[in-house]
Amino acid sequence: MTDRLSHASIRTLGFLLIAVMMFGCGGKDDIGKTYPVEGKVMLDKETLNEGTVTFHPDTAKGNTSRQIAVGNVNGGKFKMSTGVKEGVLPGHYKVTIHATVSSNPKDEYAVPKSIINEKFNAADRTPLTAEVKEGGGPYEYTVFK
């Protein structure tokens, strides 16, 4: 099966596994004060219909939190959560965006392929950033194919 997986798919699956594991860590109130984070995502000049937005703490800008925040994109809009708690801890973040389609619509087991340029999929390469603070936002991002 690994023959059919691209490096980007393996990286995406690994990232999603880490995100899922982090959701289970701790109780609802033990991560600290979060602030609402909502926004929209465009793919080129179109609304991104489905995908995932992830906020990774930017240690280079002083965010030493180990908590990532994730939000699903639906109809171009997203709303972030940190673990089971709505919102995002304050601080600077690198933002990644993932969106895939089937590599073969006729095969339900086909490996998904990214519809977004890979530089937006990895925290160490993304040009997208966010600063979360009380009253912050709106958060709007444009990614490219």
Side-chain angles (χ1 to χ4, degrees), residues 4 102 104-112:
R4 297 176 58 185
S102 174
N104 180 356
K106 295 179 182 180
D107 178 3
E108 67 181 290
Y109 300 107
V111 176

Side-chain angles (χ1 to χ4, degrees), residues 79-128:
K79 185 174 185 177
M80 305 296 290
S81 295
T82 303
V84 295
K85 195 171 184 181
E86 285 191 21
V88 179
L89 292 166
H92 290 273
Y93 292 86
K94 293 186 174 212
V95 179
T96 57
I97 299 176
H98 298 268
T100 60
V101 294
S102 174
S103 58
N104 180 356
K106 295 179 182 180
D107 178 3
E108 67 181 290
Y109 300 107
V111 176
K113 65 178 181 178
S114 180
I115 59 172
I116 297 175
N117 185 297
E118 68 180 31
K119 75 178 177 181
F120 299 108
N121 294 330
D124 62 341
R125 290 192 309 261
T126 183
L128 306 176

